[in-house]
Amino acid sequence: MNEPSWRTAVGVFSIIAWIILWVVLIASLSGTVGDWPVLAQAAFYLVAGLAWIVPLKPVLQWIETGRFKP
C-alpha cells in the first residue's frame, strides 16, 4: 500500500467516533459507579479502559485489507 486509500480516512474517523461514544457511555455511568466500593470502581474502570479496544480489530483489519474477516 503505497498511498492511503479512502478506507484509511473512513477507518480513522470511525475509530475516533467509537472512542468518543465509548467515553460518553462510560462517563454517563459515573454517577452509578461512584456509589460502588473503591475496588469495584477500580475494576470497572480498568475493564472499561481496556474493553474499547476489542471491537477495533475488525476495523483495523478492514483498513489494512479491505475485508472484515481474515
Side-chain angles (χ1 to χ4, degrees):
M1 195 159 131
N2 295 334
E3 55 187 67
S5 69
W6 62 271
R7 286 192 318 266
T8 303
V10 170
V12 168
F13 286 121
S14 66
I15 290 170
I16 291 171
W18 171 248
I19 292 171
I20 292 170
L21 178 70
W22 188 256
V23 167
V24 169
L25 174 68
I26 299 303
S28 70
L29 296 173
S30 67
T32 304
V33 176
D35 295 334
W36 296 357
V38 173
L39 290 178
Q41 289 180 40
F44 172 79
Y45 286 120
L46 178 66
V47 170
L50 296 173
W52 66 273
I53 299 170
V54 174
L56 295 182
K57 184 177 179 183
V59 174
L60 293 171
Q61 188 169 6
W62 175 75
I63 291 171
E64 196 65 32
T65 65
R67 291 173 285 160
F68 284 105
K69 295 184 179 184

